[in-house]
Every structure is written in structure tokens, then in C-alpha cells.
Amino acid sequence: AAFAPAPAARSATQLHESKADLEALAKELNPVVGFYDPLNLAEAEFWDSSNEATIGFLRHAEIKHGRVAMFAFVGYIVHANGIKFPWPMEMDGSPFPSETNPPALWDTISDTAKWQIFTVIAFLEFWSELSTDSHKHYMAGGKPGDYPDFISGPDGIPHPVPFNLYDPFQFSKNMSEEKKATRLRAEINNGRLAQIGILGFLSEQVCPGSVPALSGVVQPYDGEPMAPFVTNYLGEAFGMS
């Protein structure tokens, strides 16, 4: 979880943010742009929940999307430069693809391997939605972006888990709350920039010339970058390929 306090302190954490809090945060994140909410989402109430719960959902969603985008941006650059693990990718000895066009590389990966990736993602999503005495859900007073620790035993995972997803080596254990808040603001800004960056890469690939700064830098791609599989399994039932 992003810059969460130690587990013992989490049980007492109760956080509800308002539109005024978002306006103050926006100034800290970007004094030039400030608070920008053209859809007026800061006053919304999703699914008949409170405005505070909706703000918690939106804050958590932005932080999570930013983290995924940072992974994608770095991964894109790594694969575009042909960097890969030297060992086999699959049990039959198949190596990691040598393709340097990231979306095309994803298309060459077997569906079995993709399902393994999606299964891990599904578990992480399930675990992130847990609300316990030591970890409040982000729509119920918890901290947006906070990822719960992996708990072993009768009330958690039925086998030892030596490392947590966030800060597995406890480097931030003694970090002050002020420094955690500063780093979270940096993470949000980096995540926003990464979202623009990865979509810029993909836009230029599927529509050459749409991002002039990337013309000739990224390779063109004629597939569907948002499709998880080459085969349209859902569409096949309706006669679509």
C-alpha cells in the first residue's frame, strides 16, 4: 500500500476526504493547474453512497491507474529495447519472445501464460478490496492507495507469505508521515504522467502521426492494443472474429 503507517496504527486510521481536501491536494500536486474537475465528480455520490465514499473511490482509482501506467510505461521501454530474461518462459523450453514491438510481443505470448498473469492480477484485486479491523476499505474511511498486508493463518492466506506487495523489505517502516505524504504526491504526479506517456506510445503506434514527437520513434502496430487476446473469444459467440 502506498505510504501506509505501520499495521498497529492502521486500525485507528479513519479518513474521510471532502471536495475541499481535493482542492487543497490539487494545489500541492500542481500549483499551475490547480483543481480541475470539469465533470464535477468531486460532488458525486456513486451507487447511492456518500460523497466521502465516492471521493475515496475516485482517489483510489487514480492512484491505482497511475501505478499500472508506471508499470506499463517502464515495461514498454524495456521490451522495446529487447531486454528479456535469459531463461525459458514456459515449461516446454520456449524462450521469451525477441519481438521489440511491445503490443506485438504481447500477441505472441500464449493464452495459457496470459491466463496465469490475469489470475495473479485477479487475486491482487480481490485482496486489495478486503476490509478488516486492521485495514479499512478506501470507501469506508480507509486510505486511498493503501494495499493490505498479506496475512497468514486461519484469518488469511493458508501458508506463510514472507513479503508484502508494498514495501516487502520494510524500508519505509520508520519513515515519517510527512515524508510518506510527500512521496505519495510524487507518486500521483508520476502516475498521471505515465498514463499520458503509455497512451501516447500506443496512439502513435496505431495512428502514425497522431503524436508528432514520437513519429519514427515507436514502431507501427495494426492490431488491437486494448484486446487481451488475439482471438476474440467473447465475439465468437456472436459471429465476430
Side-chain angles (χ1 to χ4, degrees), residues 79 85 113-114 116 130-131 171 174 190 204 223:
H79 291 305
F85 294 118
K114 290 178 180 179
Q116 291 176 339
L130 293 179
S131 183
F171 290 140
N174 298 317
N190 289 334
E204 177 62 27

Side-chain angles (χ1 to χ4, degrees), residues 102-206:
L105 183 151
W106 174 255
D107 291 342
T108 66
I109 297 175
S110 69
D111 286 358
T112 301
K114 290 178 180 179
W115 278 117
Q116 291 176 339
I117 295 171
F118 295 146
T119 299
V120 172
I121 293 173
F123 167 76
L124 294 177
E125 280 291 293
F126 161 77
W127 195 262
S128 73
E129 293 295 320
L130 293 179
S131 183
T132 65
D133 292 339
S134 61
H135 179 268
K136 297 294 183 183
H137 192 270
Y138 50 85
M139 291 184 70
K143 295 181 68 174
D146 187 23
Y147 195 89
D149 292 340
F150 292 131
I151 303 171
S152 300
D155 298 327
I157 301 173
H159 58 77
V161 182
F163 303 108
N164 289 311
L165 180 64
Y166 168 70
D167 195 20
F169 303 109
Q170 300 294 309
F171 290 140
S172 67
K173 184 177 181 180
N174 298 317
M175 189 183 299
S176 68
E177 291 300 319
E178 291 75 14
K179 187 170 184 179
K180 290 177 182 179
T182 299
R183 294 183 64 175
L184 178 55
R185 290 195 293 271
E187 181 187 28
I188 294 173
N189 278 331
N190 289 334
R192 290 175 175 177
L193 187 59
Q195 291 176 72
I196 296 173
I198 189 61
L199 288 176
F201 282 152
L202 297 178
S203 296
E204 177 62 27
Q205 286 197 271
V206 299

